[in-house]
């Protein structure tokens, strides 16, 4: 842990925090939504103060589906600005773009060669997106091996993610254990850290489907940069039910429960408290909208500041990639050596 003569003095950096590595990632496949924020980014903001944390914009994952190169470039920068505006601080954590650290693609290939067809076929995210369509890209199938590489390169112990990534984390653990057993101790076995609330924020218009960047339902997706007016409108139109009782019961009242979950994840209150304080759906919706507007307002203000200085954002990402490479490259060399590749 920590290289003595490292360019960025990892040893110094690590003495002030627990020497526990955190890594997480997010795809630049569209604008950041409240699900991303409550399911993952809120935990990142906390973890950066407590651990040696790495956060990556996973652009290589974003090309596993049909995409526009122009839009991908724009989204990558916009996502970096949004993450900085949300409060990720490059002075205390490392923020970088995945494709800027070539070790990710290299280790991904090695891990693909240890993963089995059966394991990759069982990934529900692949099954959801792939739907037995012959023209889907091979990269979508091997996507979880790239994600495993992202994590294992940093010897990460904690991986803060939303509920939908749990299965990918299980596979990452399996691949790491298999590699260590067959080829010798190489990787730390990571653990998903999933928040108790906000781990699976549902679409407001279709509360049995997950809120998603690529959703075809703009009315059901709350974006981080939505204006207070848009947030109020979307929340006030959220689908509920005809029961007229505010209860946290995700199975029977998915819409109302999603609103309670949103409120609790944004404020830290418990679902029971919130349910007991509200009797009307309209009242609950107003509380949810107010809580989200208050949560997002500072992020939106800072975002406009970062937009004025894209050169600074590029500088932060460049530095981040150098710092990331310092940790990732020694792991890659160890993995190559242990699996029998002759290193130059
Ligand atoms: P992505 O880009 O889809 O989402 C980024 C993070 O947001 C969480 N999330 C949600 N949480 C709650 N409710 C929702 N509706 C919701 N939608 C998304 C996700 O769980 C995730 O934590 N495969 C990953 C990216 C990735 C990664 C990694 C993550 C690539 N390499 C290494 C961790 C570690 C993905 O597509 O996330």
């Amino acid at each position: 842990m920590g290289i003595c003569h490292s360019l960025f003095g990892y040893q110094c950096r690590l003495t002030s925090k627990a020497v526990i590595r955190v890594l997480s990632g997010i795809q630049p496949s569209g604008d950041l939504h409240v699900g991303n924020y409550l399911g993952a980014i809120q935990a990142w903001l906390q973890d950066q103060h407590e651990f040696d944390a790495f956060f990556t914009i996973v652009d290589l994952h974003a090309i596993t589906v049909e995409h526009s190169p122009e839009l991908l470039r724009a989204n990558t920068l916009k996502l970096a600005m949004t993450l900085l505006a949300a409060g990720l601080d490059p002075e205390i954590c490392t923020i970088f773009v995945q494709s800027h650290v070539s070790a990710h693609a290299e280790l991904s290939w090695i891990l693909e060669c240890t993963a089995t067809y059966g394991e990759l076929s069982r990934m529900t995210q692949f099954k959801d997106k792939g739907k037995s369509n012959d023209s889907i890209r091979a990269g979508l199938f091997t996507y979880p091996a790239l994600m495993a590489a992202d994590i294992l390169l940093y010897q990460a112990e904690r991986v803060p993610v939303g509920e939908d990534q749990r299965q990918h984390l299980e596979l990452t653990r399996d691949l790491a254990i298999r590699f260590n057993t067959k080829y010798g101790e190489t990787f730390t076995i990571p653990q998903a850290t999933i928040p108790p609330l906000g781990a699976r924020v549902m679409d407001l218009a279709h509360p049995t489907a997950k809120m998603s960047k690529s959703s075809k339902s703009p009315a059901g997706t709350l974006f981080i940069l939505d204006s207070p007016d848009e947030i109020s409108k979307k929340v006030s139109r959220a689908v509920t039910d005809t029961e007229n009782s505010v209860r946290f019961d995700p199975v029977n009242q998915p819409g109302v429960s999603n609103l309670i979950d949103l409120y609790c994840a944004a404020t830290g209150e418990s679902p029971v408290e919130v349910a007991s304080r509200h009797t009307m759906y309209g009242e609950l919706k107003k509380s949810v909208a107010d809580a989200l507007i208050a949560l997002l307002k500072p992020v939106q203000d800072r975002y406009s500041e970062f937009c004025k200085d894209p050169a600074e954002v590029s500088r932060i990402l460049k530095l981040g990639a150098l710092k990331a490479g310092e940790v990732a490259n020694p792991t890659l060399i160890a993995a190559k050596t242990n699996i029998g590749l002759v290193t130059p």
Side-chain angles (χ1 to χ4, degrees):
M1 195 65 58
I3 298 161
C4 245
H5 302 292
S6 100
L7 197 51
F8 298 98
Y10 264 103
Q11 282 205 326
C12 301
R13 220 152 70 84
L14 291 182
T15 47
S16 57
K17 294 185 195 179
V19 189
I20 288 180
R21 234 350 113 57
V22 165
L23 178 128
S24 198
I26 182 160
Q27 292 196 57
S29 52
D31 289 345
L32 217 65
H33 57 71
V34 165
N36 299 131
Y37 190 89
L38 299 174
I41 291 157
Q42 201 159 243
W44 301 6
L45 297 175
Q46 179 117 31
D47 283 358
Q48 68 176 341
H49 293 286
E50 293 174 31
F51 307 110
D52 188 33
F54 288 73
F55 302 112
T56 177
I57 297 175
V58 292
D59 53 349
L60 296 173
H61 281 99
I63 59 172
T64 57
V65 290
E66 192 64 49
H67 73 283
S68 139
E70 276 311 306
L71 203 58
L72 177 59
R73 264 188 286 275
N75 278 342
T76 302
L77 205 58
K78 188 173 181 190
L79 181 53
M81 289 174 180
T82 320
L83 292 174
L84 291 166
L88 284 190
D89 178 354
E91 295 289 322
I92 57 171
C93 71
T94 304
I95 308 164
F96 67 102
V97 175
Q98 182 189 38
S99 67
H100 294 180
V101 181
S102 58
H104 289 247
E106 280 193 69
L107 183 63
S108 175
W109 176 253
I110 293 173
L111 293 175
E112 273 175 45
C113 295
T114 67
T116 67
Y117 176 81
E119 280 170 329
L120 295 174
S121 326
R122 284 191 287 277
M123 294 294 111
T124 51
Q125 287 222 329
F126 169 71
K127 289 198 265 182
D128 290 346
K129 287 194 185 163
K131 294 245 160 58
S132 61
N133 171 354
D134 269 356
S135 63
I136 57 160
R137 299 177 183 190
L140 188 63
F141 183 64
T142 56
Y143 174 119
L146 177 58
M147 180 162 162
D150 298 339
I151 297 165
L152 300 180
L153 276 173
Y154 297 86
Q155 309 288 1
E157 282 172 60
R158 293 167 62 98
V159 185
V161 284
E163 180 62 44
D164 61 345
Q165 299 302 315
R166 190 187 286 278
Q167 195 188 26
H168 287 156
L169 257 297
E170 284 305 315
L171 177 67
T172 302
R173 288 168 59 85
D174 290 348
L175 295 182
I177 291 167
R178 180 179 311 154
F179 195 102
N180 287 352
T181 309
K182 270 190 143 169
Y183 305 115
E185 272 313 304
T186 312
F187 301 122
T188 300
I189 311 302
Q191 187 100 47
T193 56
I194 297 178
L197 291 159
R200 190 172 175 79
V201 172
M202 309 306 270
D203 188 293
L204 296 180
H206 306 281
T208 50
K210 191 186 67 165
M211 188 177 283
S212 136
K213 289 192 214 91
S214 51
S215 163
K216 304 273 176 294
S217 151
T221 311
L222 288 165
F223 294 104
I224 305 279
L225 299 176
D226 277 350
S227 68
D229 218 36
E230 283 168 307
I231 294 175
S232 290
K233 260 194 207 133
K234 287 181 185 177
V235 174
S236 71
R237 289 176 191 158
V239 167
T240 50
D241 51 53
T242 52
E243 301 220 357
N244 268 331
S245 91
V246 178
R247 277 184 303 131
F248 188 67
D249 178 358
V251 175
N252 298 307
Q253 291 190 260
V256 173
S257 302
N258 190 36
L259 290 171
I260 297 175
D261 185 51
L262 276 168
Y263 184 84
C264 293
T267 61
E269 274 186 58
S270 82
V272 177
E273 269 167 20
V274 177
S276 69
R277 269 197 296 109
H278 296 83
T279 43
M280 316 281 277
Y281 291 168
E283 240 185 328
L284 174 66
K285 286 177 171 178
K286 167 114 183 39
S287 298
V288 173
D290 290 348
L292 292 175
I293 290 167
L295 184 75
L296 299 178
K297 171 85 172 64
V299 181
Q300 298 177 350
D301 292 345
R302 279 194 298 263
Y303 178 76
S304 18
E305 290 305 306
F306 280 109
C307 283
K308 290 183 201 145
D309 200 355
E312 172 62 5
V313 176
S314 300
R315 190 192 66 83
I316 290 169
L317 294 177
K318 225 181 232 170
L319 207 63
L322 286 172
K323 291 202 284 188
E326 278 208 352
V327 177
N329 291 332
T331 309
L332 177 66
I333 292 171
K336 281 174 147 177
T337 306
N338 291 350
I339 206 168
L341 303 178
V342 176
T343 45

